[in-house]
Amino acid sequence: MLKPWTKSLVHFFLRLVVVFACVGSNLSYAVTISDLQRSNDVEIKYWLADSDTTADTGQKQVPSFSVNQQVILYIEVATPRWFTGGTRIEAVEIPNVIAKQRNQLATNYTERKGGVTWSRQRWEITLYPVTSGTYSIPPLAVNVQVSAPDGSNVSGTLYTKPMTFSVNLPSGLLSEQTPWFTASNVEVKQEWKQSSDELKVGDAITRKVTIQAQDSLSVLLPNLLSSESSAYFQGYPQPHRLDDSQTRGDYQSSRIEETVYVIQQGGDFSLPEYQFQWWNAKANQLETVTVEGKNFHARHTLASFVKAHLRILLTAVVVVAAALTVFFAGRRFYRTQPKPPWLLFLLDLKKGQWSSARGQLYRHLRLSTDKLEMNKVTNDSNWLKTSSQIQTGEENANLFKKMWRLISRHQRSLDKLTLPKALPKLEKVHKEQ
């Protein structure tokens, strides 16, 4: 017969054996995420589409999209029980493709399948291929945590299979070197703001352009306003504001550009118009958008006027100074010297002294032509008509000036016809003999 302490020891070992047996049994029947996937207690689906959310995992052809088009990678996990933890998807990295998970929350819904209610999570990752070619999406790890049939929580990693899609230019009018983008709808709004109603030098004009696109990405929208400047204004661009959002399955992107133009010079000037192209994925056509420019007029300030016309003002000052110098120098000279005949003639006309002016005119005729009668100088009709008016006593300043010019012109013509003496020394010797 066993002693009491011996019985206690035996009971302890028996209990220990039972405990280890239970633990070993539980370990040997532990459920993994792969077991749940094989037993159809968890499943994963994945497909590519532009906007249609219908799964087509059995698609045999490689899906094709346009350059810059929004391609949505759908990943859906489901279980006939429920999710007990958050789902995490591995980041997508593909060369020449911009990948962005714009919706950080999954779409949760339930579905009846074979009389059983399934809980489903649908995740969306937007892809934007920027060049033509064929792209391959590597297997992606999806970490999930679900409830097992025995009531335990099972976490693990599911994997998608590699996916391939092709990308091409949607139109022969487009190239990968010119800026354009793809969207399903585009809206453009432009706002102007002036620092004052009547612009002057030093005032500012603010130009704001907002581009909103559906099913595109803000970084793909065109950069329109530049830091351009001219003699009339200096442009100061403000930081661009980019925004990407998602509302009820609609992806919206916006780009806001703003430039402040400070007027440097008065006058008429204009801010230019801009154009950009985008491919309408919904209508399958190329569209061109024109952002209109605007004309402005700014008043000069005294300082800006002087600055803008400094060269002309300096030239005018120099010319006026030179003219005044010549005028006063001539005036000082003729105070002590006899005045020239043409000046005396003009002074007589100004004073209305017609007889004295007529005498100056005949004196000019005699010195220029050696003639005393005007009608005997030449048979030119213009000459005869003008001289006849003078001789009949007509008193008209323009008529007198015209006759003076005709006499001077006739003198110059005679000077041209008079040949220079070839041998003036011989003529001097001849005279001495």
Side-chain angles (χ1 to χ4, degrees), residues 314-330:
L314 289 177
T315 303
V317 170
V318 171
V319 170
V320 171
L324 291 176
T325 301
V326 172
F327 173 76
F328 287 111

Side-chain angles (χ1 to χ4, degrees), residues 302-315:
L302 179 60
S304 67
F305 180 83
V306 173
K307 181 180 179 181
H309 303 89
L310 182 60
R311 182 177 298 179
I312 298 176
L313 292 176
L314 289 177
T315 303

Side-chain angles (χ1 to χ4, degrees), residues 348-349 352-359 394-398 400:
D348 290 339
L349 291 179
Q353 298 176 353
W354 301 107
S355 59
S356 177
R358 196 183 304 274
E394 186 173 343
E395 297 177 349
N396 185 287
N398 292 330
F400 275 60

